[in-house]
Amino acid sequence: MSIDLSKGQRIDLTKTNPGLTKIIVGLGWDTNRYNGGGDFDLDASAFLLHEDGKAKSAADFVFYNNLKAYDGAVVHTGDNRTGEGDGDDEQILIDFAKVPAAISRIGITVTIHDAQQRSQNFGQVSHAFVRVVNEANQNEILRYDLGEDFSIETAVVFCEFYRHGSDWKFQAVGSGFSGGLAALVTNYGLS
């Protein structure tokens, strides 16, 4: 049975799900078509963060132009440019057993591609969610519906996975940024 989380809530993933090593992080959203009428291209990304909360190089950044990190520890399954249809719009696969010991957090974000040029923001996005699925049995473990209206933000940190000893935990973040992907990249220590 899936657990619904609220902003700021944390949950123990691997301790409460013994044997869990591979997960699917499914991200989804709908757009309000009446706002401008243009297509929305939302992009999921993963930032692999060291103890200081920063990524050290482009190898720590998984997105539509760099689909894989650390020999498959984190894999982006590909860019969905329209968000059409039900279910997950984009997915990121994480194999906790392959994540290097130096990585203490994995930030999962979504940005709006060309948001400024298209006059788009997360205020025009609805039903945004992140869900975590056990890859082995396809059971949904948890779900976090953003639910908040972001008015000017063009990038959102949906959630973070973080190490606690030998276990991995999940935190529902829901933190918005203006400045799109560039703002997130700077936030996480890359240029």
Side-chain angles (χ1 to χ4, degrees):
M1 186 171 134
S2 181
I3 299 170
D4 286 328
L5 297 178
S6 304
K7 181 175 179 166
Q9 276 190 295
R10 299 169 188 254
I11 189 169
D12 201 320
L13 270 182
T14 54
K15 193 181 283 184
T16 55
N17 295 282
L20 179 70
T21 56
K22 294 181 179 183
I23 60 167
I24 301 165
V25 182
L27 300 126
W29 49 78
D30 293 323
T31 56
N32 304 330
R33 290 282 171 213
Y34 59 84
N35 284 322
D39 278 344
F40 276 70
D41 179 7
L42 275 66
D43 297 312
S45 303
F47 290 88
L48 288 82
L49 309 173
H50 296 256
E51 196 60 46
D52 63 358
K54 302 293 182 192
K56 299 297 181 201
S57 71
D60 293 337
F61 178 35
V62 176
F63 68 116
Y64 58 84
N65 275 339
N66 180 35
L67 295 175
K68 195 163 129 181
Y70 297 108
D71 206 25
V74 178
V75 177
H76 191 302
T77 62
D79 191 11
N80 174 339
R81 295 192 172 178
T82 64
E84 291 295 320
D86 293 332
D88 300 339
D89 291 311
E90 292 192 9
Q91 292 183 331
I92 295 173
L93 312 178
I94 299 175
D95 184 343
F96 291 126
K98 288 186 177 181
V99 176
I103 302 299
S104 61
R105 286 181 155 335
I106 301 171
I108 304 294
T109 68
V110 176
T111 55
I112 301 173
H113 186 70
D114 289 338
Q116 264 189 306
Q117 297 88 314
R118 298 178 184 180
S119 298
Q120 296 173 343
N121 59 57
F122 272 93
Q124 299 160 321
V125 174
S126 56
H127 309 296
F129 68 86
V130 60
R131 66 191 195 106
V132 175
V133 175
N134 182 338
E135 189 180 284
N137 60 18
Q138 297 298 305
N139 287 339
E140 184 176 293
I141 299 169
L142 64 87
R143 180 183 182 98
Y144 168 45
D145 292 302
L146 251 60
E148 290 186 36
D149 287 337
F150 295 97
S151 54
I152 58 168
E153 291 83 352
T154 54
V156 176
V157 178
F158 273 45
C159 64
E160 286 188 347
F161 297 91
Y162 63 97
R163 281 185 204 269
H164 186 264
S166 61
D167 290 311
W168 282 90
K169 296 187 176 209
F170 173 95
Q171 179 178 5
V173 177
S175 177
F177 288 78
S178 297
L181 186 57
L184 283 177
V185 166
T186 301
N187 178 65
Y188 283 126
L190 299 174
S191 55

